[in-house]
Amino acid sequence: MTYPELAYLKLERRGPVGWLINNRPDRLNAMNSAMRDEFAVAWKALDADPEVRVIVHTGEGRAFQTGVDVAEIAGDGVGMERYRQSMEDFDVHFTAWHQGIAKPVITAVNGLCAGGAFHWVADADIVLAASDAQFFDPHVSVGQVVAIEAIGLLRKMPFEAVMRMALTGRHERMSAQRAYELGMVGEVVDPPERLREVAQELAEKIARNSPAAMAATKRALWGALEMGLTDACKAGAKELVSMWGHPDQEEGPRAFAEKREPRWVAPEGAAAAGGASAPRSPAADSAPPDSAPPDGGRAAGEPS
């Protein structure tokens, strides 16, 4: 499958693993308005590729991502008003969660991760971080509100840790080890140069499993975050039963008995299926959002 050529993002496939790479290293991968629009295209392209079973998201250069491009916001006369309508309507499209991506998503944080970058930390299924990664949220330091991305992080971390990062702004940084201790990331990779190698290895392990079963699992578990216990279990039971009669349910036990790798049905993906597959359950669609808007970030080029 041929991927679209994008100005600020790179799309690659390495075996069963699709890679989405932030590619604006001269600006520490800060997101300008064009890059913001490219994310919707990028996620859909990888989700539509039947050869891609897992998606890894990382950054080029010394930063994973550093939020919105404050230089663009400050200098073009439009500022944050460009995002007002999309935020009021919560019509945003730059993370896998926003796009309803059915495939497993790994965020691999390299270097600096600041401000709006927490969109992709909060919305990923699994987060890895290089041992030299640093985390901070400078929204309040540039006169912006810390909101939706931090709300997303509250599912993973203690309240006070999120609040401290929100209130200290650009004046305090969190290490990768501390982020691991608090539950923001699931693994710290050392040496940091091995981050992509470790992410590829993990993605390949995940890719050996049934795409349909993993998509249903994502719907069940992400949906549970927006429900009470009983409702979540009832919704999960529906996802469990949805696989009964699926070819993969027969193929899995057969492959085990025959001592061979299973031959799963190729994934359709949310994009290829017209949005039919999504990581959240339908009951969650009307729930309050818990991923992040591009409403602030670290000034591109700020010294590290």
Side-chain angles (χ1 to χ4, degrees), residues 41 87 98 157 187 229 254 273:
V41 177
M87 283 299 101
H98 297 154
M157 300 171 61
E187 181 179 353
L229 177 61
R254 184 183 303 116

Side-chain angles (χ1 to χ4, degrees), residues 31 36 39-40 83-100 119 123 148 289 291-295:
M31 183 171 62
R36 180 178 185 262
F39 274 112
Y83 301 131
R84 177 181 293 276
Q85 193 63 51
S86 66
M87 283 299 101
E88 289 178 346
D89 297 340
F90 200 66
D91 181 22
V92 289
H93 305 278
F94 45 86
T95 77
W97 183 78
H98 297 154
Q99 292 297 89
H119 296 323
D123 292 358
I148 303 177
S291 55
D295 59 350

